[in-house]
Amino acid sequence: VSGIIIAHDYNTLAGNRRISLIRKALSFGIAAGFALRIASGLLALTSMAYGLAIASFDFTVRPVWVTFFLLSKIGMPDSFITLRESYTYFPNDFAGALAWAAWGFIDGLVGGTALAYLYLKFRGIFGASGHGDD
């Protein structure tokens, strides 16, 4: 389902017109953000509805988690600790579920944009498309 959401939203944002490599990557990142927002919000709501009692979730491959991890290693300001906890610990109310959905969007946006950019850049370097994607 996430793939369908990403494909639909990317095609809506990018359209069939020629756009720059950066805009293609950003369109994919926004589309991935929408999909991850839905998935994260639904996960939080499902956990609350069924009382799964999950305390935290490991996001080691997600950009925001890596950022918080690196900040904790160099001395994180107290205000970031609250943000990190809202990201790391499962919410137990609807406001928390909305926050998780927002974190999902940010993760999808940052991660999706970076991965799409790298893919498009390497594809251009190795000449797979020949479309001049920059």
Side-chain angles (χ1 to χ4, degrees), residues 46 50 119 122:
T46 302
Y50 289 102
Y119 170 78
F122 282 121

Side-chain angles (χ1 to χ4, degrees), residues 41-89:
L42 287 176
L43 179 62
L45 291 173
T46 302
S47 173
M48 288 171 24
Y50 289 102
L52 297 178
I54 300 171
S56 67
F57 201 77
D58 187 7
F59 295 108
T60 54
V61 296
R62 293 173 77 174
V64 175
W65 187 93
V66 172
T67 302
F68 283 135
F69 176 78
L70 293 174
L71 285 173
S72 71
K73 296 299 182 190
I74 62 172
M76 182 182 302
D78 289 340
S79 60
F80 283 174
I81 292 172
T82 302
L83 283 174
R84 181 185 66 189
E85 288 177 357
S86 76
Y87 179 83
T88 305
Y89 296 106

